[in-house]
Amino acid sequence: MIKLRLSILLALFIFEGNLALAEVPKPGEMAPPLKLTGILQTSGKLEQTLHSLQGKVVVLEFWATWCAPCIAAMPHLNDLTEKYKNKGVQFISITDESTEKANQFLKNRKINGWVGIDGDNAMFKAYEVQSIPFTVLIGSNGKVLGYPKSKDLSEEMLNQALLGKELVEPPPMPISTDPRPSLAEAEKPLYELSIRPSASQGMSSRIGLDIFKTKGTTALELIKIVFDAKLKHAEVSAQLPEGKFDVVATNSGKDAPDWEWKVQLKRALQDIWKLDVRQERKEVEVYEMLAMGTADKRLLKAEPGNAQSRQSSDVGVLIGRNTSIPVLAMILQDFFSVPVVNMTNLEGNYDYNLYYDDSKPETLMISLEKEMGFRLRKVRRTIEVLIIAPRN
C-alpha cells in the first residue's frame, strides 16, 4: 500500500482534522440555532424540516466538495446514518458552497441524510469552523454533547447521545497554523534563524524577500522549499530527522540583500543535519504525463476569478481546485515515488476529483485517464533531481 506523501503545496491548502476557535460552544451549552439557506434530500419547507428536529439527536457534519478528508469519511457516516435513521438521530451535512455545486457532487457521490446549504455562512460562523471536516454532536435537549472527529464517530457515541450523555473527550482547542505573527510577537528580533520541533496540525508557509516562516513542515518539505526544488524529484540517501518543524529565517537587517535568509538557512540545514544537498541532472525512470485525445472533453477548467488554489488528499481520493498541471504532476510524483514529467503542454488551472483503491495504486492511473484524459507512460529520461546525501 502506498502512503500518500503529498507535500508542500498540498499541505499549504489541505483542510483536515477538527479545529476551531475558543468561542465554539462547549459541551453542555445550548447549540446555536440551526440556520440554513437551503436543504437537500428531504421534503417539505425548510422551516418545517428544521422544526421536525426537536427531540432528536443531531449530527452536524461541516464539509465541502473539494475536501478529501470529508469525502473519505462519508462511507463511515453513511453507514451510521442508515443504522440510526429510525432511532431518533438525524445527520445533516452542511456546506457553504452553492446548491448547484452540492447537487452536482451528489450525482456522483452519495451522502445519506440531509445536506444543508449554509449560503450566508451563519452555521460556519456560529461554530467558528476553521477547518473541515468538523463534526458536532447535539443532544435531544438542544445542547452540544461533543465534537468527535468524523471517522471516530461511533455507535457507542450515538448510543450515549441518545441517553443525553456528553462525550468524554474535551471540545476542540484552537491550534494556529497561520504563519503570520501574533500580537505577542510584536517585538521582533533584528535577526532570527530558528528551527524547532512543531506541534502544529497541517502546514503553512510565508515566503518573502526578507523572511521565511513555516509551521508543521517535514525535513524533506523544508529542504525542497529552501533549495527551490518543490517540483523536483528527490533522491534521499541521508537519514532525515523525523517529525515536523517550525522555522523562522530573516535577513540580517533592512539593508541586507534580498533572499539573504535563504543562503543562511541552506547553510544551517546542511550543517545541523550533516547533509550534502545539491541538484544534478541524472538519467532515471520517469512517468511522462500525456494528454490523450479525450482530454479536451474531460478536463474541467477552474472557475474564472477563483484566486485560491486548493489541493486535498485522503486515503482513496485526491482533489484539486484551481490547480495547474505542473502542480498535479508534483502531486502524482509524490504519490508514486517516481518523477512525473508534464508533457501535456496545457496551460491554465483545472479542477479534479481522482478516486482510487488504496490497495491498488495503479487504479489512480485509471482514474486519471477516465476523469482528465491523461495517461502516464514509463520511460527513461535525463532530468534535474534533488540529491540529499549524508555529508562525508
Side-chain angles (χ1 to χ4, degrees):
M1 182 183 299
I2 291 182
K3 296 295 183 183
L4 291 183
R5 296 179 290 116
L6 307 184
S7 58
I8 308 169
L9 196 62
L10 255 180
L12 282 172
F13 299 104
I14 188 167
F15 286 68
E16 58 183 4
N18 284 349
L19 311 183
L21 298 179
E23 290 81 4
V24 64
K26 296 179 178 62
E29 296 180 350
M30 290 300 296
L34 190 57
K35 297 179 180 179
L36 299 170
T37 57
I39 196 159
L40 308 177
Q41 303 192 145
T42 185
S43 57
K45 293 183 178 180
L46 178 62
E47 295 79 7
Q48 295 172 337
T49 301
L50 298 183
H51 182 74
S52 70
L53 295 174
Q54 290 186 350
K56 288 186 177 182
V57 169
V58 177
V59 178
L60 303 181
E61 176 70 6
F62 291 86
W63 72 289
T65 62
W66 49 262
C67 170
C70 303
I71 295 171
M74 284 176 183
H76 171 63
L77 296 175
N78 283 342
D79 288 343
L80 291 176
T81 303
E82 284 301 303
K83 289 179 180 178
Y84 284 85
K85 65 181 180 180
N86 296 319
K87 297 181 180 180
V89 180
Q90 181 62 55
F91 285 74
I92 309 177
S93 298
I94 299 177
T95 178
D96 59 357
E97 295 179 282
S98 67
T99 299
E100 292 73 24
K101 279 193 175 181
N103 275 323
Q104 184 64 38
F105 178 87
L106 293 170
K107 291 179 181 178
N108 301 305
R109 306 292 291 186
K110 183 171 73 169
I111 296 180
N112 294 341
W114 300 346
V115 176
I117 306 299
D118 189 19
D120 53 10
N121 284 112
M123 297 309 300
F124 273 75
K125 291 176 182 176
Y127 285 97
E128 295 288 357
V129 177
Q130 300 297 303
S131 64
I132 52 178
F134 183 84
T135 308
V136 186
L137 185 57
I138 302 172
S140 58
N141 60 358
K143 294 183 178 181
V144 173
L145 299 180
Y147 298 88
K149 292 184 178 179
S150 305
K151 291 184 178 180
D152 294 340
L153 184 65
S154 65
E155 293 183 39
E156 180 180 358
M157 291 179 182
L158 293 176
N159 291 337
Q160 292 297 305
L162 288 168
L163 295 175
K165 297 183 179 179
E166 295 178 10
L167 301 186
V168 176
E169 57 260 37
M173 298 298 292
I175 303 177
S176 174
T177 58
D178 191 340
R180 293 173 297 180
S182 65
L183 293 176
E185 298 176 305
E187 294 186 8
K188 297 179 181 178
L190 298 177
Y191 170 71
E192 184 173 358
L193 178 57
S194 63
I195 305 171
R196 56 173 60 91
S198 177
S200 181
Q201 297 186 25
M203 172 190 165
S204 58
S205 291
R206 174 188 172 195
I207 302 176
L209 298 176
D210 59 351
I211 187 171
F212 170 72
K213 195 168 187 179
T214 187
K215 289 187 176 183
T217 309
T218 67
L220 179 57
E221 290 165 350
L222 178 60
I223 292 168
K224 278 194 165 189
I225 293 173
V226 175
F227 283 82
D228 300 314
K230 291 186 290 184
L231 300 180
K232 292 183 174 68
H233 178 66
E235 285 190 2
V236 183
S237 58
Q239 185 168 355
L240 298 179
E242 298 181 354
K244 296 185 177 182
F245 301 90
D246 295 343
V247 179
V248 179
T250 69
N251 292 352
S252 57
K254 62 180 181 179
D255 296 326
D258 293 344
W259 306 107
E260 183 194 39
W261 64 263
K262 187 176 289 188
V263 176
Q264 301 296 335
L265 187 52
K266 283 181 180 179
R267 184 180 299 124
L269 292 176
Q270 293 181 97
D271 289 345
I272 293 170
W273 292 337
K274 309 300 181 186
L275 303 174
D276 176 23
V277 183
R278 64 189 186 277
Q279 298 186 46
E280 65 179 50
R281 293 187 67 78
K282 294 186 65 175
E283 184 180 293
V284 295
E285 197 170 63
V286 306
Y287 281 125
E288 291 182 336
M289 186 164 67
L290 307 167
M292 302 173 64
T294 56
D296 286 343
K297 296 180 180 178
R298 297 183 182 182
L299 283 172
L300 182 62
K301 284 201 170 185
E303 294 182 358
N306 184 6
Q308 187 174 25
S309 177
R310 290 190 178 107
Q311 292 78 40
S312 181
S313 71
D314 208 301
V315 174
V317 58
L318 303 182
I319 293 176
R321 295 291 181 268
N322 197 28
T323 301
S324 69
I325 302 304
V327 169
L328 173 61
M330 178 197 72
I331 291 168
L332 293 174
Q333 79 178 10
D334 280 351
F335 180 90
F336 290 113
S337 297
V338 174
V340 176
V341 180
N342 175 27
M343 302 289 290
T344 66
N345 295 319
L346 290 170
E347 298 180 352
N349 291 356
Y350 300 86
D351 296 343
Y352 61 82
N353 284 34
L354 301 176
Y355 302 101
Y356 64 94
D357 183 341
D358 191 51
S359 64
K360 300 176 181 178
E362 65 275 9
T363 57
L364 180 57
M365 295 186 186
I366 298 173
S367 182
L368 185 68
E369 183 172 332
K370 178 182 176 183
E371 300 299 327
M372 303 186 75
F374 290 170
R375 181 166 65 89
L376 298 182
R377 179 178 66 187
K378 186 169 282 189
V379 298
R380 291 192 68 81
R381 287 188 56 166
T382 299
I383 63 170
E384 195 166 68
V385 176
L386 182 69
I387 306 295
I388 306 175
R391 177 176 289 179
N392 295 325

PDB file of all heavy atoms in Angstrom, residues 213-243:
ATOM      1  N   LYS A 213       8.952  31.861   6.914  1.00  0.00           N
ATOM      2  CA  LYS A 213       8.344  31.371   8.144  1.00  0.00           C
ATOM      3  C   LYS A 213       7.431  30.220   7.798  1.00  0.00           C
ATOM      4  O   LYS A 213       6.578  30.328   6.920  1.00  0.00           O
ATOM      5  CB  LYS A 213       7.567  32.501   8.836  1.00  0.00           C
ATOM      6  CG  LYS A 213       7.210  32.205  10.289  1.00  0.00           C
ATOM      7  CD  LYS A 213       6.715  33.463  10.975  1.00  0.00           C
ATOM      8  CE  LYS A 213       6.508  33.222  12.471  1.00  0.00           C
ATOM      9  NZ  LYS A 213       6.057  34.440  13.158  1.00  0.00           N
ATOM     10  N   THR A 214       7.608  29.100   8.481  1.00  0.00           N
ATOM     11  CA  THR A 214       6.777  27.930   8.191  1.00  0.00           C
ATOM     12  C   THR A 214       6.450  27.198   9.480  1.00  0.00           C
ATOM     13  O   THR A 214       7.223  27.265  10.454  1.00  0.00           O
ATOM     14  CB  THR A 214       7.482  26.985   7.197  1.00  0.00           C
ATOM     15  OG1 THR A 214       6.585  25.944   6.814  1.00  0.00           O
ATOM     16  CG2 THR A 214       8.729  26.350   7.802  1.00  0.00           C
ATOM     17  N   LYS A 215       5.329  26.513   9.476  1.00  0.00           N
ATOM     18  CA  LYS A 215       4.910  25.694  10.612  1.00  0.00           C
ATOM     19  C   LYS A 215       4.470  24.323  10.112  1.00  0.00           C
ATOM     20  O   LYS A 215       3.865  24.205   9.052  1.00  0.00           O
ATOM     21  CB  LYS A 215       3.761  26.348  11.382  1.00  0.00           C
ATOM     22  CG  LYS A 215       4.150  27.588  12.169  1.00  0.00           C
ATOM     23  CD  LYS A 215       2.997  28.077  13.040  1.00  0.00           C
ATOM     24  CE  LYS A 215       3.424  29.263  13.891  1.00  0.00           C
ATOM     25  NZ  LYS A 215       2.348  29.707  14.807  1.00  0.00           N
ATOM     26  N   GLY A 216       4.790  23.296  10.886  1.00  0.00           N
ATOM     27  CA  GLY A 216       4.329  21.952  10.579  1.00  0.00           C
ATOM     28  C   GLY A 216       4.947  21.368   9.320  1.00  0.00           C
ATOM     29  O   GLY A 216       4.272  20.653   8.579  1.00  0.00           O
ATOM     30  N   THR A 217       6.233  21.623   9.078  1.00  0.00           N
ATOM     31  CA  THR A 217       6.900  21.214   7.850  1.00  0.00           C
ATOM     32  C   THR A 217       7.858  20.064   8.114  1.00  0.00           C
ATOM     33  O   THR A 217       8.649  20.118   9.060  1.00  0.00           O
ATOM     34  CB  THR A 217       7.684  22.390   7.245  1.00  0.00           C
ATOM     35  OG1 THR A 217       6.835  23.527   7.155  1.00  0.00           O
ATOM     36  CG2 THR A 217       8.210  22.046   5.874  1.00  0.00           C
ATOM     37  N   THR A 218       7.812  19.015   7.292  1.00  0.00           N
ATOM     38  CA  THR A 218       8.776  17.931   7.430  1.00  0.00           C
ATOM     39  C   THR A 218      10.134  18.377   6.925  1.00  0.00           C
ATOM     40  O   THR A 218      10.252  19.379   6.211  1.00  0.00           O
ATOM     41  CB  THR A 218       8.334  16.689   6.634  1.00  0.00           C
ATOM     42  OG1 THR A 218       8.386  16.987   5.227  1.00  0.00           O
ATOM     43  CG2 THR A 218       6.927  16.256   7.019  1.00  0.00           C
ATOM     44  N   ALA A 219      11.159  17.622   7.282  1.00  0.00           N
ATOM     45  CA  ALA A 219      12.512  17.971   6.856  1.00  0.00           C
ATOM     46  C   ALA A 219      12.619  17.992   5.332  1.00  0.00           C
ATOM     47  O   ALA A 219      13.227  18.904   4.753  1.00  0.00           O
ATOM     48  CB  ALA A 219      13.510  16.973   7.451  1.00  0.00           C
ATOM     49  N   LEU A 220      12.035  16.987   4.663  1.00  0.00           N
ATOM     50  CA  LEU A 220      12.116  16.935   3.206  1.00  0.00           C
ATOM     51  C   LEU A 220      11.383  18.112   2.570  1.00  0.00           C
ATOM     52  O   LEU A 220      11.879  18.735   1.619  1.00  0.00           O
ATOM     53  CB  LEU A 220      11.547  15.612   2.690  1.00  0.00           C
ATOM     54  CG  LEU A 220      11.549  15.431   1.165  1.00  0.00           C
ATOM     55  CD1 LEU A 220      12.956  15.569   0.604  1.00  0.00           C
ATOM     56  CD2 LEU A 220      10.933  14.086   0.778  1.00  0.00           C
ATOM     57  N   GLU A 221      10.196  18.432   3.077  1.00  0.00           N
ATOM     58  CA  GLU A 221       9.444  19.567   2.550  1.00  0.00           C
ATOM     59  C   GLU A 221      10.241  20.855   2.718  1.00  0.00           C
ATOM     60  O   GLU A 221      10.312  21.697   1.806  1.00  0.00           O
ATOM     61  CB  GLU A 221       8.101  19.684   3.276  1.00  0.00           C
ATOM     62  CG  GLU A 221       7.116  18.566   2.919  1.00  0.00           C
ATOM     63  CD  GLU A 221       5.964  18.492   3.900  1.00  0.00           C
ATOM     64  OE1 GLU A 221       6.036  19.185   4.954  1.00  0.00           O
ATOM     65  OE2 GLU A 221       5.020  17.735   3.650  1.00  0.00           O
ATOM     66  N   LEU A 222      10.853  21.023   3.888  1.00  0.00           N
ATOM     67  CA  LEU A 222      11.641  22.220   4.169  1.00  0.00           C
ATOM     68  C   LEU A 222      12.809  22.344   3.205  1.00  0.00           C
ATOM     69  O   LEU A 222      13.059  23.415   2.629  1.00  0.00           O
ATOM     70  CB  LEU A 222      12.133  22.172   5.614  1.00  0.00           C
ATOM     71  CG  LEU A 222      13.024  23.324   6.086  1.00  0.00           C
ATOM     72  CD1 LEU A 222      12.290  24.643   5.972  1.00  0.00           C
ATOM     73  CD2 LEU A 222      13.479  23.075   7.517  1.00  0.00           C
ATOM     74  N   ILE A 223      13.522  21.252   3.007  1.00  0.00           N
ATOM     75  CA  ILE A 223      14.677  21.272   2.101  1.00  0.00           C
ATOM     76  C   ILE A 223      14.235  21.607   0.677  1.00  0.00           C
ATOM     77  O   ILE A 223      14.884  22.405  -0.023  1.00  0.00           O
ATOM     78  CB  ILE A 223      15.410  19.922   2.152  1.00  0.00           C
ATOM     79  CG1 ILE A 223      16.074  19.732   3.520  1.00  0.00           C
ATOM     80  CG2 ILE A 223      16.450  19.822   1.039  1.00  0.00           C
ATOM     81  CD1 ILE A 223      16.579  18.337   3.777  1.00  0.00           C
ATOM     82  N   LYS A 224      13.129  21.016   0.234  1.00  0.00           N
ATOM     83  CA  LYS A 224      12.648  21.288  -1.126  1.00  0.00           C
ATOM     84  C   LYS A 224      12.296  22.760  -1.317  1.00  0.00           C
ATOM     85  O   LYS A 224      12.576  23.355  -2.358  1.00  0.00           O
ATOM     86  CB  LYS A 224      11.431  20.413  -1.437  1.00  0.00           C
ATOM     87  CG  LYS A 224      11.765  18.995  -1.870  1.00  0.00           C
ATOM     88  CD  LYS A 224      10.551  18.325  -2.467  1.00  0.00           C
ATOM     89  CE  LYS A 224      10.922  17.078  -3.225  1.00  0.00           C
ATOM     90  NZ  LYS A 224       9.774  16.537  -3.983  1.00  0.00           N
ATOM     91  N   ILE A 225      11.677  23.355  -0.310  1.00  0.00           N
ATOM     92  CA  ILE A 225      11.312  24.770  -0.410  1.00  0.00           C
ATOM     93  C   ILE A 225      12.558  25.644  -0.472  1.00  0.00           C
ATOM     94  O   ILE A 225      12.710  26.493  -1.347  1.00  0.00           O
ATOM     95  CB  ILE A 225      10.425  25.183   0.784  1.00  0.00           C
ATOM     96  CG1 ILE A 225       9.060  24.488   0.728  1.00  0.00           C
ATOM     97  CG2 ILE A 225      10.230  26.700   0.801  1.00  0.00           C
ATOM     98  CD1 ILE A 225       8.202  24.724   1.950  1.00  0.00           C
ATOM     99  N   VAL A 226      13.473  25.431   0.462  1.00  0.00           N
ATOM    100  CA  VAL A 226      14.640  26.299   0.594  1.00  0.00           C
ATOM    101  C   VAL A 226      15.581  26.170  -0.605  1.00  0.00           C
ATOM    102  O   VAL A 226      16.211  27.149  -1.013  1.00  0.00           O
ATOM    103  CB  VAL A 226      15.379  25.984   1.912  1.00  0.00           C
ATOM    104  CG1 VAL A 226      16.661  26.793   2.024  1.00  0.00           C
ATOM    105  CG2 VAL A 226      14.473  26.277   3.105  1.00  0.00           C
ATOM    106  N   PHE A 227      15.658  24.965  -1.180  1.00  0.00           N
ATOM    107  CA  PHE A 227      16.554  24.748  -2.314  1.00  0.00           C
ATOM    108  C   PHE A 227      15.840  24.886  -3.664  1.00  0.00           C
ATOM    109  O   PHE A 227      16.326  24.415  -4.688  1.00  0.00           O
ATOM    110  CB  PHE A 227      17.225  23.387  -2.204  1.00  0.00           C
ATOM    111  CG  PHE A 227      18.343  23.346  -1.199  1.00  0.00           C
ATOM    112  CD1 PHE A 227      18.069  23.177   0.147  1.00  0.00           C
ATOM    113  CD2 PHE A 227      19.655  23.523  -1.593  1.00  0.00           C
ATOM    114  CE1 PHE A 227      19.094  23.158   1.089  1.00  0.00           C
ATOM    115  CE2 PHE A 227      20.691  23.504  -0.665  1.00  0.00           C
ATOM    116  CZ  PHE A 227      20.406  23.334   0.685  1.00  0.00           C
ATOM    117  N   ASP A 228      14.659  25.529  -3.655  1.00  0.00           N
ATOM    118  CA  ASP A 228      13.919  25.822  -4.891  1.00  0.00           C
ATOM    119  C   ASP A 228      13.681  24.560  -5.715  1.00  0.00           C
ATOM    120  O   ASP A 228      13.897  24.526  -6.931  1.00  0.00           O
ATOM    121  CB  ASP A 228      14.664  26.850  -5.745  1.00  0.00           C
ATOM    122  CG  ASP A 228      14.867  28.160  -5.004  1.00  0.00           C
ATOM    123  OD1 ASP A 228      13.903  28.641  -4.393  1.00  0.00           O
ATOM    124  OD2 ASP A 228      15.991  28.684  -5.030  1.00  0.00           O
ATOM    125  N   ALA A 229      13.248  23.491  -5.049  1.00  0.00           N
ATOM    126  CA  ALA A 229      13.074  22.202  -5.729  1.00  0.00           C
ATOM    127  C   ALA A 229      11.709  21.595  -5.423  1.00  0.00           C
ATOM    128  O   ALA A 229      11.571  20.378  -5.345  1.00  0.00           O
ATOM    129  CB  ALA A 229      14.185  21.240  -5.312  1.00  0.00           C
ATOM    130  N   LYS A 230      10.692  22.452  -5.275  1.00  0.00           N
ATOM    131  CA  LYS A 230       9.369  21.949  -4.905  1.00  0.00           C
ATOM    132  C   LYS A 230       8.795  20.991  -5.943  1.00  0.00           C
ATOM    133  O   LYS A 230       8.088  20.054  -5.614  1.00  0.00           O
ATOM    134  CB  LYS A 230       8.404  23.117  -4.688  1.00  0.00           C
ATOM    135  CG  LYS A 230       8.716  23.937  -3.454  1.00  0.00           C
ATOM    136  CD  LYS A 230       7.658  24.990  -3.198  1.00  0.00           C
ATOM    137  CE  LYS A 230       7.699  26.094  -4.228  1.00  0.00           C
ATOM    138  NZ  LYS A 230       6.739  27.179  -3.939  1.00  0.00           N
ATOM    139  N   LEU A 231       9.089  21.245  -7.215  1.00  0.00           N
ATOM    140  CA  LEU A 231       8.517  20.419  -8.273  1.00  0.00           C
ATOM    141  C   LEU A 231       9.452  19.298  -8.711  1.00  0.00           C
ATOM    142  O   LEU A 231       9.128  18.554  -9.634  1.00  0.00           O
ATOM    143  CB  LEU A 231       8.164  21.287  -9.483  1.00  0.00           C
ATOM    144  CG  LEU A 231       7.142  22.401  -9.244  1.00  0.00           C
ATOM    145  CD1 LEU A 231       6.896  23.181 -10.524  1.00  0.00           C
ATOM    146  CD2 LEU A 231       5.834  21.844  -8.708  1.00  0.00           C
ATOM    147  N   LYS A 232      10.595  19.175  -8.048  1.00  0.00           N
ATOM    148  CA  LYS A 232      11.581  18.192  -8.481  1.00  0.00           C
ATOM    149  C   LYS A 232      11.491  16.900  -7.671  1.00  0.00           C
ATOM    150  O   LYS A 232      11.078  16.896  -6.509  1.00  0.00           O
ATOM    151  CB  LYS A 232      12.990  18.776  -8.368  1.00  0.00           C
ATOM    152  CG  LYS A 232      13.277  19.904  -9.355  1.00  0.00           C
ATOM    153  CD  LYS A 232      14.704  20.381  -9.233  1.00  0.00           C
ATOM    154  CE  LYS A 232      15.036  21.401 -10.312  1.00  0.00           C
ATOM    155  NZ  LYS A 232      14.309  22.656 -10.130  1.00  0.00           N
ATOM    156  N   HIS A 233      11.918  15.817  -8.310  1.00  0.00           N
ATOM    157  CA  HIS A 233      12.024  14.538  -7.621  1.00  0.00           C
ATOM    158  C   HIS A 233      13.254  14.566  -6.728  1.00  0.00           C
ATOM    159  O   HIS A 233      14.287  15.129  -7.094  1.00  0.00           O
ATOM    160  CB  HIS A 233      12.140  13.406  -8.639  1.00  0.00           C
ATOM    161  CG  HIS A 233      12.307  12.051  -8.017  1.00  0.00           C
ATOM    162  ND1 HIS A 233      11.325  11.457  -7.264  1.00  0.00           N
ATOM    163  CD2 HIS A 233      13.352  11.178  -8.037  1.00  0.00           C
ATOM    164  CE1 HIS A 233      11.741  10.277  -6.861  1.00  0.00           C
ATOM    165  NE2 HIS A 233      12.968  10.087  -7.310  1.00  0.00           N
ATOM    166  N   ALA A 234      13.153  13.971  -5.536  1.00  0.00           N
ATOM    167  CA  ALA A 234      14.276  13.953  -4.596  1.00  0.00           C
ATOM    168  C   ALA A 234      14.786  12.535  -4.409  1.00  0.00           C
ATOM    169  O   ALA A 234      14.005  11.604  -4.191  1.00  0.00           O
ATOM    170  CB  ALA A 234      13.846  14.537  -3.256  1.00  0.00           C
ATOM    171  N   GLU A 235      16.102  12.383  -4.504  1.00  0.00           N
ATOM    172  CA  GLU A 235      16.770  11.129  -4.163  1.00  0.00           C
ATOM    173  C   GLU A 235      17.415  11.323  -2.796  1.00  0.00           C
ATOM    174  O   GLU A 235      18.325  12.140  -2.648  1.00  0.00           O
ATOM    175  CB  GLU A 235      17.821  10.753  -5.200  1.00  0.00           C
ATOM    176  CG  GLU A 235      17.238  10.213  -6.493  1.00  0.00           C
ATOM    177  CD  GLU A 235      18.309   9.629  -7.398  1.00  0.00           C
ATOM    178  OE1 GLU A 235      19.498   9.611  -6.996  1.00  0.00           O
ATOM    179  OE2 GLU A 235      17.963   9.198  -8.509  1.00  0.00           O
ATOM    180  N   VAL A 236      16.929  10.594  -1.800  1.00  0.00           N
ATOM    181  CA  VAL A 236      17.373  10.802  -0.426  1.00  0.00           C
ATOM    182  C   VAL A 236      18.144   9.568   0.049  1.00  0.00           C
ATOM    183  O   VAL A 236      17.575   8.485   0.194  1.00  0.00           O
ATOM    184  CB  VAL A 236      16.173  11.066   0.506  1.00  0.00           C
ATOM    185  CG1 VAL A 236      16.666  11.352   1.922  1.00  0.00           C
ATOM    186  CG2 VAL A 236      15.329  12.220  -0.011  1.00  0.00           C
ATOM    187  N   SER A 237      19.433   9.727   0.262  1.00  0.00           N
ATOM    188  CA  SER A 237      20.245   8.650   0.829  1.00  0.00           C
ATOM    189  C   SER A 237      20.645   8.957   2.265  1.00  0.00           C
ATOM    190  O   SER A 237      21.128   8.081   2.986  1.00  0.00           O
ATOM    191  CB  SER A 237      21.496   8.412  -0.026  1.00  0.00           C
ATOM    192  OG  SER A 237      22.274   9.589  -0.129  1.00  0.00           O
ATOM    193  N   ALA A 238      20.458  10.197   2.688  1.00  0.00           N
ATOM    194  CA  ALA A 238      20.743  10.580   4.070  1.00  0.00           C
ATOM    195  C   ALA A 238      19.537  10.255   4.949  1.00  0.00           C
ATOM    196  O   ALA A 238      18.403  10.168   4.471  1.00  0.00           O
ATOM    197  CB  ALA A 238      21.051  12.064   4.146  1.00  0.00           C
ATOM    198  N   GLN A 239      19.793  10.094   6.229  1.00  0.00           N
ATOM    199  CA  GLN A 239      18.706   9.869   7.178  1.00  0.00           C
ATOM    200  C   GLN A 239      18.229  11.224   7.694  1.00  0.00           C
ATOM    201  O   GLN A 239      18.917  11.889   8.462  1.00  0.00           O
ATOM    202  CB  GLN A 239      19.160   8.981   8.341  1.00  0.00           C
ATOM    203  CG  GLN A 239      18.009   8.634   9.282  1.00  0.00           C
ATOM    204  CD  GLN A 239      18.377   7.525  10.250  1.00  0.00           C
ATOM    205  OE1 GLN A 239      19.456   6.954  10.164  1.00  0.00           O
ATOM    206  NE2 GLN A 239      17.488   7.228  11.170  1.00  0.00           N
ATOM    207  N   LEU A 240      17.032  11.617   7.239  1.00  0.00           N
ATOM    208  CA  LEU A 240      16.488  12.907   7.646  1.00  0.00           C
ATOM    209  C   LEU A 240      15.802  12.791   9.000  1.00  0.00           C
ATOM    210  O   LEU A 240      15.240  11.739   9.340  1.00  0.00           O
ATOM    211  CB  LEU A 240      15.492  13.407   6.599  1.00  0.00           C
ATOM    212  CG  LEU A 240      16.057  13.665   5.196  1.00  0.00           C
ATOM    213  CD1 LEU A 240      14.951  14.129   4.258  1.00  0.00           C
ATOM    214  CD2 LEU A 240      17.171  14.685   5.244  1.00  0.00           C
ATOM    215  N   PRO A 241      15.799  13.849   9.784  1.00  0.00           N
ATOM    216  CA  PRO A 241      15.103  13.813  11.073  1.00  0.00           C
ATOM    217  C   PRO A 241      13.598  13.628  10.892  1.00  0.00           C
ATOM    218  O   PRO A 241      13.014  14.145   9.936  1.00  0.00           O
ATOM    219  CB  PRO A 241      15.426  15.176  11.693  1.00  0.00           C
ATOM    220  CG  PRO A 241      15.818  16.046  10.549  1.00  0.00           C
ATOM    221  CD  PRO A 241      16.448  15.146   9.537  1.00  0.00           C
ATOM    222  N   GLU A 242      13.011  12.883  11.797  1.00  0.00           N
ATOM    223  CA  GLU A 242      11.572  12.632  11.726  1.00  0.00           C
ATOM    224  C   GLU A 242      10.804  13.778  12.368  1.00  0.00           C
ATOM    225  O   GLU A 242      11.364  14.651  13.019  1.00  0.00           O
ATOM    226  CB  GLU A 242      11.247  11.309  12.422  1.00  0.00           C
ATOM    227  CG  GLU A 242      11.897  10.095  11.774  1.00  0.00           C
ATOM    228  CD  GLU A 242      11.544   8.806  12.479  1.00  0.00           C
ATOM    229  OE1 GLU A 242      10.883   8.868  13.546  1.00  0.00           O
ATOM    230  OE2 GLU A 242      11.924   7.725  11.968  1.00  0.00           O
ATOM    231  N   GLY A 243       9.498  13.735  12.173  1.00  0.00           N
ATOM    232  CA  GLY A 243       8.646  14.756  12.765  1.00  0.00           C
ATOM    233  C   GLY A 243       8.524  15.981  11.884  1.00  0.00           C
ATOM    234  O   GLY A 243       8.949  15.998  10.729  1.00  0.00           O
TER     235      GLY A 243
END
